[in-house]
Amino acid sequence: KVEQARFTYKLETGNIAALCHEVVASRQEKASMREVALVEEINLKEKLLRYDKERLGIAIGNIVDNALDYSPKGDRVIFKLNPIGNGVLVSIIDHGIGIPEKARLHLFTKFYRADNAKRVRATGTGLGLYLAKHIIDDHGGKLEIDSREGEGATINITLPDDLGKASIGQGNVASI
């Protein structure tokens, strides 16, 4: 299911700020082991959206994991959550290896890993961004990456407050 990005979605109303806090908290040990500071800047106490908590947590978590994996020791990854329009903007900012220009066209391709990522970290499936993109798209959101090789990356996830109107519907299987 994971490799094929075929999930059963269970949409429920939940506090997106709490989900984001959980994702960051669950990655603090990894950040500590990598000697990278994971800084949380959540500028909302509560924002109710309809989403699949497990799936959206996987998507956001995959992006945080990448930021931690490809950041140098002693650096920091910043996780931001801000209101935007009627929805929210999640931003994950790192100062790591960045993404080469020629790799940008393939970032959301299943099993793709950029050459510089393979040099820094030999293991990896090339599924993290693929899955994140599809899960976020299925929720009616948007995933954008601004990066230059050697300068890090800023990943922005925009989630509208009308996630319940996304094409996946409760209990349906989204096939990508």
Side-chain angles (χ1 to χ4, degrees), residues 97-104 107 114 116 129 145 147-150 152-153 155:
I97 64 171
I99 301 165
E101 188 172 338
K102 69 178 185 174
R104 291 184 201 143
L107 283 180
N116 65 338
L129 285 177
I145 297 176
S147 180
R148 288 177 191 31
E149 188 170 15
I155 290 82

Side-chain angles (χ1 to χ4, degrees), residues 51-170:
Y51 57 90
D52 183 304
K53 180 180 179 179
E54 182 180 355
R55 303 300 180 233
L56 199 55
I58 288 170
I60 296 169
N62 282 348
I63 295 166
V64 173
D65 286 340
N66 281 350
L68 293 171
D69 287 340
Y70 300 111
S71 289
K73 288 182 180 180
D75 211 335
R76 66 186 192 148
V77 170
I78 303 167
F79 184 102
K80 295 182 177 187
L81 174 67
N82 289 293
I84 183 169
N86 290 328
V88 295
L89 173 64
V90 176
S91 298
I92 297 112
I93 303 158
D94 70 63
H95 303 95
I97 64 171
I99 301 165
E101 188 172 338
K102 69 178 185 174
R104 291 184 201 143
L105 294 173
H106 308 288
L107 283 180
F108 304 117
T109 303
K110 188 179 354 179
F111 304 120
Y112 179 79
R113 295 186 68 221
D115 290 338
N116 65 338
K118 289 186 239 180
R119 284 191 301 271
V120 170
R121 188 170 158 257
T123 60
T125 62
L127 289 171
L129 285 177
Y130 167 79
L131 292 173
K133 171 90 167 115
H134 288 293
I135 291 169
I136 290 164
D137 286 353
D138 284 348
H139 279 80
K142 189 173 180 182
L143 174 63
E144 297 176 309
I145 297 176
D146 180 22
S147 180
R148 288 177 191 31
E149 188 170 15
E151 297 181 19
T154 298
I155 290 82
N156 289 311
I157 303 165
T158 307
L159 297 169
D161 75 347
D162 61 351
L163 292 178
K165 296 177 186 169
S167 61
I168 55 178
Q170 188 164 344

Side-chain angles (χ1 to χ4, degrees), residues 14-17 44-49 51 81 85-88 161:
N15 181 0
I16 193 68
L44 290 168
K45 290 204 184 279
E46 182 174 86
K47 176 66 175 173
L48 298 179
L49 301 176
Y51 57 90
L81 174 67
N86 290 328
V88 295
D161 75 347

